[in-house]
């Protein structure tokens, strides 16, 4: 069965809009990856500064291929970006990756 990866991002309130804009500007970058099944960016409602980035993959190999390919390329750098401009600072102040195997699932019943 599928695997789920949840990246837990600690995002101060003043950086929320920045984080959400960055995710929306890369719409489509993960969707074409082999083995990709689902993505959701979950905004905290109350009591925490932690956003959840939920992705679902066919298997661990598909996730690792994305991590070593498109994701790595999108996040590399640290110095000036193309055009000489400074790369933007991260919106998140911390990150933790949770991993799960899907053992049960359900979808809405069709009428």
């Amino acid at each position: 069965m599928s695997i789920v990866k949840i990246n837990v991002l600690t995002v101060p309130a003043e950086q929320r809009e920045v984080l959400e804009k960055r995710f929306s500007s890369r719409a489509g970058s993960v969707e074409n990856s082999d083995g990709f099944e689902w993505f959701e960016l979950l905004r905290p409602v109350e009591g925490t500064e932690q956003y959840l980035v939920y992705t679902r993959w066919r298997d661990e190999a598909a996730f690792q291929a994305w991590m070593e390919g498109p994701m790595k390329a999108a996040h590399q750098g640290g110095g000036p970006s193309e055009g000489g401009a400074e790369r933007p600072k991260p919106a998140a102040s911390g990150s933790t990756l949770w991993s799960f195997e899907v053992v049960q699932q359900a979808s809405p019943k069709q009428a």
Side-chain angles (χ1 to χ4, degrees):
M1 278 201 125
S2 302
I3 64 157
V4 169
K5 300 292 184 171
I6 300 174
N7 194 359
V8 183
L9 302 175
T10 302
V11 182
E14 65 275 7
Q15 290 291 83
R16 285 181 168 198
E17 187 175 342
V18 171
L19 179 87
E20 291 178 22
K21 283 183 179 178
R22 288 182 185 169
F23 269 94
S24 63
S25 71
R26 3 177 194 186
S29 63
V30 71
E31 288 90 329
N32 295 323
S33 297
D34 182 49
F36 170 79
E37 296 178 354
W38 197 259
F39 162 85
E40 291 178 325
L41 176 62
L42 306 176
R43 177 192 303 136
V45 177
E46 59 187 31
T48 185
E49 292 184 324
Q50 294 180 314
Y51 274 72
L52 301 181
V53 183
Y54 174 101
T55 57
R56 183 171 165 145
W57 300 86
R58 175 184 60 229
D59 53 30
E60 183 69 25
F63 173 73
Q64 290 300 327
W66 175 74
M67 286 285 290
E68 291 301 316
M71 195 286 298
K72 188 174 186 178
H75 289 86
Q76 274 186 334
S81 63
E82 287 184 31
E86 285 295 317
R87 294 182 63 84
K89 292 182 180 176
S93 62
S95 174
T96 302
L97 184 64
W98 296 342
S99 300
F100 300 88
E101 291 179 333
V102 177
V103 293
Q104 292 184 22
Q105 61 187 18
S107 60
K109 293 187 178 196
Q110 300 298 320

